[in-house]
Amino acid sequence: LVTALVFAQGLIGEVCWDSIEPLECGPVLDIWRTRGRIGASGLNAEWRCYSGACHVDLHLSVDWREQHAALQLVYEPGTEIRHRDDGIPGTHLRRGMDGRELPLRDASLLHLQGGQMAAVVSPEVYSLSGSPDALSLTLLRSPLMAHHEPHHGQSCRRVFSDQGCHEFRLRFYPPCSALTWEELESAAHTLTRPVLVGDLTRGMPRRAYRGHWKPTA
């Protein structure tokens, strides 16, 4: 699903994935992991499925080492995408599937042929493009960084952008009959604002320390 693009020359390669292996299996959560490589860059993908949920989460780690290239994740819902609603600051905007790369905030809601919907929640992705067949999320790019003292030709001072390790959290909703923008915004907040502290006593007896604790006035 993840491909690399050269800015001016189109597709230059796709990730070669290893076999997928189970990492955790339980009544609430299943996790599968796979590793991949494209060029000099390594990837680690964890797919997370929650019991009773209508979505699948992807935790993707990328050690990006490419130059003059961009990394995109391509989502194909399996049917024609008629148009989409993309998040923009403060609201969302209807857009066509014309291949242009445009800014993104948090999520994209896909309106499919036949009246169904699909979606991708991606709070750490800031641009995307799309065709009637697929949605392409731009994860990383590596042009030369601008320098206030320009040098002609090769220079030891040149720096390529986005080098190093990056983490992405994405949530995919497969085609279904109904999805709302409010659901996607709530999911984006869930991914970016995880619970830090919880107080859960469900299942414990009313007086866990009976015989050792006495109420005080």
Side-chain angles (χ1 to χ4, degrees):
L1 290 179
V2 183
T3 61
L5 302 177
V6 171
F7 292 140
Q9 300 176 18
L11 181 68
I12 60 172
E14 296 185 3
V15 175
C16 295
W17 294 104
D18 297 336
S19 58
I20 193 167
E21 58 181 2
L23 192 62
E24 296 182 22
C25 295
V28 176
L29 172 66
D30 289 342
I31 302 179
W32 291 272
R33 180 179 65 183
T34 183
R35 299 182 186 274
R37 178 159 292 275
I38 184 168
S41 303
L43 300 92
N44 181 70
E46 289 188 6
W47 293 94
R48 304 187 174 196
C49 297
Y50 299 89
S51 176
C54 61
H55 61 263
V56 177
D57 285 357
L58 170 61
H59 288 208
L60 181 66
S61 302
V62 183
D63 185 8
W64 185 240
R65 303 295 176 185
E66 307 310 306
Q67 299 178 357
H68 298 301
L71 185 69
Q72 290 190 333
L73 188 148
V74 180
Y75 173 48
E76 299 178 349
T79 188
E80 181 183 351
I81 307 172
R82 302 181 62 183
H83 52 263
R84 68 182 194 266
D85 295 332
D86 290 342
I88 61 173
T91 184
H92 58 277
L93 182 66
R94 177 67 51 88
R95 288 170 172 168
M97 309 303 292
D98 55 9
R100 293 185 300 158
E101 185 172 4
L102 297 168
L104 175 70
R105 176 189 66 85
D106 287 345
S108 182
L109 178 61
L110 311 180
H111 297 261
L112 308 178
Q113 187 73 27
Q116 289 191 312
M117 297 181 179
V120 180
V121 178
S122 51
E124 286 128 350
V125 176
Y126 302 108
S127 67
L128 81 172
S129 58
S131 69
D133 297 324
L135 189 71
S136 299
L137 304 168
T138 301
L139 306 183
L140 300 166
R141 60 183 78 237
S142 53
L144 278 171
M145 297 288 287
H147 199 280
H148 70 284
E149 294 180 2
H151 295 267
H152 298 288
Q154 299 296 319
S155 170
C156 62
R157 290 186 175 181
R158 67 178 189 170
V159 176
F160 288 91
S161 69
D162 285 350
Q163 300 296 291
C165 297
H166 302 267
E167 303 282 341
F168 299 93
R169 295 163 296 176
L170 303 104
R171 178 165 293 180
F172 295 90
Y173 291 84
C176 62
S177 58
L179 279 172
T180 66
W181 183 254
E182 289 72 23
E183 290 179 67
L184 302 186
E185 285 201 319
S186 177
H189 291 162
T190 299
L191 293 176
T192 56
R193 305 172 188 176
V195 175
L196 299 180
V197 177
D199 183 6
L200 181 63
T201 58
R202 184 170 45 203
M204 297 177 64
R206 292 187 61 185
R207 297 182 62 182
Y209 303 99
R210 184 172 298 176
H212 300 279
W213 173 83
K214 294 182 180 180
T216 58

